[in-house]
Amino acid sequence: TDKNRPIPRVVHFFVKSKCLPKDLAENVLQWKEQLVDHSVLLHDQNEIAQYLTKERSDSKLPFVAKAFHCAIQHEAILDLARLVWLHDHGGISVDIDHVPGESFLNGTLLDNKQLHFVIEDHESHPYPRFVATTPGH
């Protein structure tokens, strides 16, 4: 990937617990081994709850705590966490059951210096594999 890209080199995984089943732990290890210039972070439900319920001094996302309390399904909470974490810190959010593919590793998905937001090609995959953004976007 481009060394000067604005997207931080941080991969965020949002999980119920940091005690991962073996297959998911192996996926995280693949990310760490293949992307040695990236940080790989796990955010569990306790950290997510603390982060989403804290008082926010910014006016860009004043709805976060209320949205968290109104979220019924765990998946909705994880989607909210992705939105807020990527807005606040930037980086890459990936579903934990995926591993980095060839197009990610060779930099073709993150090679534009002006890139702010990316969702991998829908034709190759029936659903997005990752979301990447700069802080504040």
Side-chain angles (χ1 to χ4, degrees), residues 16 67-68 70-80:
K16 284 186 179 184
F68 174 75
C70 292
I72 297 170
Q73 295 181 328
H74 181 69
E75 292 78 12
I77 293 170
L78 295 181
D79 287 343
L80 181 63

Side-chain angles (χ1 to χ4, degrees), residues 7-20:
I7 297 172
R9 295 179 183 279
V10 178
V11 178
H12 300 276
F13 290 110
F14 298 90
V15 295
K16 284 186 179 184
S17 168
K18 291 182 182 177
C19 299
L20 299 174

Side-chain angles (χ1 to χ4, degrees), residues 99-130:
V99 294
E102 182 180 332
S103 58
F104 188 92
L105 293 173
N106 70 21
T108 58
L109 290 174
L110 295 174
D111 61 357
N112 182 343
K113 291 180 184 177
Q114 301 304 312
L115 188 66
H116 291 285
F117 184 80
V118 123
I119 297 179
E120 192 167 355
D121 179 4
H122 288 31
E123 293 180 9
S124 302
H125 309 281
Y127 47 87
R129 290 193 155 235
F130 72 94

